[in-house]
Amino acid sequence: MYAICEIKGKQYKIETGKEYRVDYLNMDKDNEINFNTVLLIRDDNGNIKVGNPYLDGVNVKAKIVVPMIKGDKVIAFKYKRRKGYRNKKGHRQQYSVIRIEKIE
């Protein structure tokens, strides 16, 4: 059984019992969180239900495993030759790790 769920504007294919790295959720460790923006669900028999845009009555229960981790550093370097222009900026995206407890 799997579902396609929208979390903070991004879509994830999720399954029960697996861990996923999503954009930073400002919550503490072991907090429960419910997502009701489910776009598609496929049960064990192979039946597929598609929402318009979301399915009614379908919730995904998840638990925060790691509240915040940082991704790899991304360097944005701009340069124009012979003009004396250089601009270097770095960025590290923040993520949370969640474990899917139940799709109901």
Side-chain angles (χ1 to χ4, degrees):
M1 174 179 222
Y2 71 86
I4 295 179
C5 184
E6 184 177 317
I7 302 171
K8 290 195 78 169
K10 296 182 181 177
Q11 296 176 6
Y12 298 91
K13 179 183 174 185
I14 57 176
E15 295 181 26
T16 305
K18 292 193 176 181
E19 293 183 357
Y20 297 95
R21 189 175 80 170
V22 299
D23 283 341
Y24 177 64
L25 304 168
N26 193 9
M27 301 182 83
D28 294 329
K29 186 177 179 179
D30 295 330
N31 277 6
E32 299 267 333
I33 186 166
N34 290 329
F35 301 109
N36 57 0
T37 54
V38 178
L39 301 163
L40 179 140
I41 191 165
R42 180 181 182 268
D43 59 9
D44 295 329
N45 299 330
N47 299 328
I48 296 176
K49 293 180 186 176
V50 180
N52 187 10
Y54 303 119
L55 288 168
D56 293 330
V58 179
N59 285 329
V60 175
K61 292 189 177 186
K63 192 175 204 178
I64 305 289
V65 178
V66 180
M68 188 191 75
I69 57 173
K70 288 188 173 182
D72 295 335
K73 181 174 271 194
V74 178
I75 304 294
F77 184 71
K78 297 179 181 179
Y79 173 78
K80 293 186 181 176
R81 63 185 187 158
R82 298 187 301 268
K83 304 296 181 195
Y85 174 73
R86 304 171 127 222
N87 190 0
K88 182 178 178 182
K89 293 182 182 177
H91 176 74
R92 290 185 74 182
Q93 185 69 33
Q94 295 178 346
Y95 298 102
S96 294
V97 178
I98 62 171
R99 179 182 304 116
I100 305 300
E101 299 290 328
K102 187 192 274 188
I103 300 171
E104 36 179 56

